[in-house]
Amino acid sequence: MTGFRFLHLADLHLETSFGGRAATRERLRRAALEAFENAVSYAIEHQLHAILAAGDLYDDPVLSLPTELAIQRQMQRLDKAGIWFLAVCGNHDPGGRQYRSIQLSLETDSAGARRERVHVFRDRDPQPVTVTDSAGQPVGVVIGAGHPSDAESENLAANFPALATKLPLVGLLHTHVESTPTAGQHDRYAPSGQRDFERAGYSYWALGHIHTRQCAVQGQPVHYPGNLQGRNPRETGPKGGLVVEARAGVAAEPEFVCFAPVRWEHVRVDRIADRESVRALVAQLTEEVAALGAHTDELIVRIELAGETVLAPTLRRREEREAIEAELQATTGALEIQLLDGGIVRPIDRRALRESPTAIAQALELIARAAEDDALLTELAPDRLATDVDAGERTAYLRALLAELPEELIERSIAEGEA
Ligand SMILES: [Mn+2]
């Protein structure tokens, strides 16, 4: 007998509004829907029993018509193929009466007829749903609970029951497992702890909320698939879902499948010292992008430039960086390249400069002392600053200004020397 085969998705965040360039924004909007379509196609091709969506199906409750229609179209495809779609409500798509998920009513088709194999868990109380195969035979039980509001503070995992069944048992929940390494980047909605998942009987826990793919509790079948399509520079790498084959009483091992058409990557390059022309730099950066590996997805690469380079004055200018970005997009075929100044400086012997008998050296020494001495810092600063700053934040603001001064001074002294 084969097990209960399903696709675990989470945090689809359809209808996200993106920042950045217009073309990229439009591409990302479509990419999120394409990723969902890819996931549904996969489930149909591989004749899975179900798709489990662990919350945050959409990002903004004001859905555009194309997005709403796209969601309904995928429900229709699954329905036709006899595949279950089970979703729990999260903080972006809460289940309470006043929220959008009720009107969206995935459970009915356009004629208002009930879709037997679609179930949305909207309440706090965990409910079991028995999933069947195409012949109507039970293959697994999914227990799910939803967020009724957009700021659920209760631990919903704590109420999941231990059910007596011969079928594989799967928990489905949008939750903030506090012990996960990247938990700090997300809001503490429906917080849960390791212990909530250690109860016997569950073959798998399909979680959502934290956007980084990971096992949420070491040694336990508790997983986050990560979001379906990366949406910003922090959501890097291939994105998709987890394919699971669950068997009763056995901890299931999920397998990752990439569904996202667009991939974000972040590269930090801090060895550009020996590049003396922009062309040589473009060649180097083209290689860096190529080193991200073979891929079929479209790339958005954020390249952070740091360290010493004679090109520093050029690279600090926004319009120069934009020209290089355009050139790199052409050489790499990437959807978008973003060049960031991550602290690029001219290659000069800073220590020798500091020890030289010059006015610059004296100024640098004074700056170094002021950085350690608030009284001196206050004494050196003008009474009125160009920017309005609260009295309580004045020192922190001055410190931030001071931190940029040494490089500025060094730059200026070199420029004057050259002139
Ligand atoms: Mn969430």
Side-chain angles (χ1 to χ4, degrees), residues 315-354:
L315 292 174
R316 281 215 208 91
R317 286 203 294 278
R318 178 75 228 146
E319 59 274 27
E320 292 281 356
R321 287 207 304 275
E322 278 171 3
I324 300 172
E325 286 168 352
E327 183 60 22
L328 279 170
Q329 271 161 228
T331 58
T332 62
L335 182 64
E336 183 172 328
I337 300 277
Q338 302 173 353
L339 271 190
L340 264 68
D341 176 356
I344 26 182
V345 292
R346 287 229 216 179
I348 62 152
D349 189 340
R350 285 170 178 71
R351 207 171 130 192
L353 182 66
R354 278 174 204 284

Side-chain angles (χ1 to χ4, degrees), residues 11 13 56 186 209-213 225-227 231 235 239:
D11 301 283
H13 288 274
D56 290 356
H186 297 267
H209 186 53
I210 292 185
H211 290 187
T212 312
R213 181 170 66 252
N227 52 338
R231 300 178 306 156
E235 298 178 345
K239 294 282 188 177

Side-chain angles (χ1 to χ4, degrees), residues 4 143 229 371:
F4 170 25
I143 301 185
Q229 165 64 66

Side-chain angles (χ1 to χ4, degrees), residues 346 348 353 358 360 408-419:
R346 287 229 216 179
I348 62 152
L353 182 66
T358 58
I360 292 286
E408 238 171 71
L409 267 179
I410 291 167
E411 268 304 323
R412 217 175 284 175
S413 71
I414 295 170
E416 274 164 22
E418 283 167 354

